[in-house]
Amino acid sequence: VVVKLVGYTEDQLYAYVDDAYKRFDWTALYIPKDLENRGFPVDKLTSEKFHNYCYGKNISLLWKVLRTFVSSVLATHFTSDDQVTRDSSIAAWVAEMRGASGANIKSFPEIKTIDELVDAVVMCIHIASPQHTAVNYLQEYYQSFVINKPPALCAPPPNSLQTLRAYKESDLMKALPVNRPREWLLASHLPHLLSYKVAEDQNLLNYAVSLAKISALKGDSAVASAATTLYTQLVECIEIFKQNSKDMDDNTIPYDVLDPVATAISILI
């Protein structure tokens, strides 16, 4: 469907996606590193300077919460780095992720320590849950009004100051997919479909509650405790995120994208 909208040929689009995949740097995109590399040190995010950067403040807190949870659960199985190094399942996972016949992600860590294992697992959950939510559920807001973000232009834009000054409303209308009803409808409706609200029984909060109850019934007190802590911290996040949104200069639309109630559980969690 997307191939018909973006203004590239099918081969060009797949080449673009393939290039992005090959350049994906697994460890560099761990949230603390990623934010630091982009000029947003985590320890400075609560300062007035970054009061409008809700995504950075919220996602860094969710990473910390998920890391606490993952650390607690993995601690029930791993107590030393040597155990991690000798674990055949971890070795097989690393080989599959790094191997040419597998994911072929060379930046995936070798995983020799508990910390490296925790970060790798958190990253899996992060990509499929909060990060996916942060990107996916803003599509309707930005893209459903097609002229705000058309998927492609139907006529070339001005390429000089002279042509820009001569650019008229009629030229703009020619550049937009106004006279292409199929493309227009797809461009407006796809973001809506992709932004379908997360079902209540599929959000992070419900997962934490369910895991705590099931683990308690099974007599697994360590995991039950980890899940209870996850739930408690997620509830605290709700109020913190609301305040982060209120602290923004523009309060027209609240930034509630990463609200745990609206964040889908990862299939990997």
Side-chain angles (χ1 to χ4, degrees), residues 225-256:
S225 176
T228 300
T229 299
L230 174 64
Y231 175 80
T232 301
Q233 293 182 336
L234 289 173
V235 170
E236 292 171 353
C237 282
I238 294 174
E239 296 306 314
I240 294 173
F241 293 175
K242 284 181 181 178
Q243 188 57 53
N244 287 343
S245 180
K246 290 178 182 178
D247 289 342
M248 295 175 67
D249 291 335
D250 185 358
N251 280 171
T252 305
I253 301 293
Y255 186 87
D256 56 4

Side-chain angles (χ1 to χ4, degrees), residues 1 9 15-16 23 32 50 62 74 84 87 90 93 110 112 118 120 136 138 146 155 170 172 195 200 208 221 232:
V1 176
T9 66
Y16 172 81
R23 292 188 293 108
F50 299 120
L62 276 179
L74 290 178
V84 173
D87 191 278
I90 294 175
W93 180 33
E110 294 283 1
K112 302 296 184 183
V118 170
N136 192 70
L138 279 178
V146 179
S170 58
L172 177 61
S195 300
E200 188 175 338
S221 59
T232 301

